[in-house]
Amino acid sequence: GAVVSQHPSWVICKSGTSVKIECRSLDFQATTMFWYRQFPKQSLMLMATSNEGSKATYEQGVEKDKFLINHASLTLSTLTVTSAHPEDSSFYICSARDPTPEQFFGPGTRLTVL
Amino acid sequence: RKEVEQDPGPFNVPEGATVAFNCTYSNSASQSFFWYRQDCRKEPKLLMSVYSSGNEDGRFTAQLNRASQYISLLIRDSKLSDSATYLCVVNGDRDDKIIFGKGTRLHILP
């Protein structure tokens, strides 16, 4: 149980385009989903926390207009990187939790912006 | 003091040896503690939760010391496949905020 999927697993795009990443909890209802970013050889950085049906809470320094998060259902959250630039290239990972404290992570999406 | 602090390592340990590392946390009100494992270029995976009474799963033992505000992970009879980064995770000020340590890199040597 507790499987989280992400799509796509990798994406290459041109600078200035927008990229949408989906995160799904496959066998449980995720009351909360988290989006992280991880640059090479660095630790996970929490970008935002989203609860189903409400606006996401962004961490300090994360632009909410650039990283749009939608958590429309208990099994799906999306992250859209708008007007992506090369410095946005990173490994984006979502995680989901039900009412228990453990988080379960998706396999990640590797974004490369040319 | 950082919210969650870990020795980054790397710990280079011969196969079969026992290795232990700690993680300190600053928020005395924290209630939930976990160890995650992350392999290179992969997502973190839950290794084990850490309970007040300690927790053992095979070769892995996790303990919580509330008085000194740290958790520990002990790996016995280490295997080559144990090589990974081990992330300490603690819940923060809000119930839904989880704080990750920067991880401890472990290399098991043949």
Side-chain angles (χ1 to χ4, degrees):
Chain A
V3 177
V4 177
S5 71
Q6 261 183 260
H7 178 80
S9 56
W10 59 270
V11 57
I12 301 173
C13 68
K14 292 182 179 179
S15 184
T17 59
S18 293
V19 176
K20 180 187 280 189
I21 303 170
E22 290 187 351
C23 176
R24 293 181 185 272
S25 57
L26 298 184
D27 52 2
F28 67 102
Q29 292 190 322
T31 52
T32 306
M33 286 186 168
F34 304 86
W35 287 96
Y36 295 84
R37 182 165 54 178
Q38 188 174 35
F39 293 105
K41 298 188 178 181
Q42 294 191 22
S43 59
L44 285 168
M45 296 296 294
L46 178 64
M47 299 176 68
T49 302
S50 75
N51 293 295
E52 184 262 340
S54 61
K55 289 184 179 179
T57 302
Y58 290 81
E59 295 300 301
Q60 194 172 8
V62 179
E63 299 173 57
K64 62 180 181 181
D65 294 330
K66 180 170 180 63
F67 298 99
L68 302 178
I69 292 172
N70 184 286
H71 192 165
S73 77
L74 284 171
T75 59
L76 173 64
S77 176
T78 60
L79 167 68
T80 301
V81 183
T82 62
S83 187
H85 291 285
E87 58 266 29
D88 298 324
S89 299
S90 186
F91 190 45
Y92 291 85
I93 309 174
C94 74
S95 71
R97 56 180 287 198
D98 57 18
T100 61
E102 292 94 345
Q103 287 188 46
F104 298 95
F105 286 83
T109 296
R110 195 161 299 281
L111 171 63
T112 301
V113 185
L114 303 177
Chain B
R1 185 178 181 182
K2 291 182 182 177
E3 289 182 286
V4 177
E5 206 155 358
Q6 294 183 251
D7 182 339
F11 285 54
N12 297 307
V13 174
E15 190 176 9
T18 296
V19 60
F21 24 84
N22 292 339
C23 164
T24 58
Y25 62 94
S26 61
N27 185 354
S28 60
S30 297
Q31 294 295 322
S32 303
F33 309 89
F34 310 92
W35 283 103
Y36 280 76
R37 170 198 170 125
Q38 185 174 26
D39 293 292
C40 187
R41 299 171 73 86
K42 300 277 187 163
E43 78 278 18
K45 292 189 186 296
L46 179 65
L47 180 63
M48 56 199 313
S49 304
V50 187
Y51 305 123
S52 296
S53 57
N55 189 18
E56 185 172 325
D57 183 5
R59 298 181 294 108
F60 298 83
T61 300
Q63 291 193 314
L64 167 64
N65 185 316
R66 285 194 183 275
S68 300
Q69 293 183 207
Y70 73 87
I71 64 172
S72 63
L73 179 66
L74 178 80
I75 305 174
R76 291 180 296 278
D77 187 23
S78 54
K79 311 290 185 191
L80 295 176
S81 56
D82 294 334
S83 297
T85 296
Y86 290 83
L87 304 170
C88 166
V89 180
V90 178
N91 80 324
D93 291 338
R94 303 193 306 268
D95 285 341
D96 62 351
K97 185 171 184 179
I98 303 289
I99 312 293
F100 277 80
K102 293 188 181 298
T104 297
R105 285 183 295 143
L106 174 65
H107 296 155
I108 304 300
L109 307 173

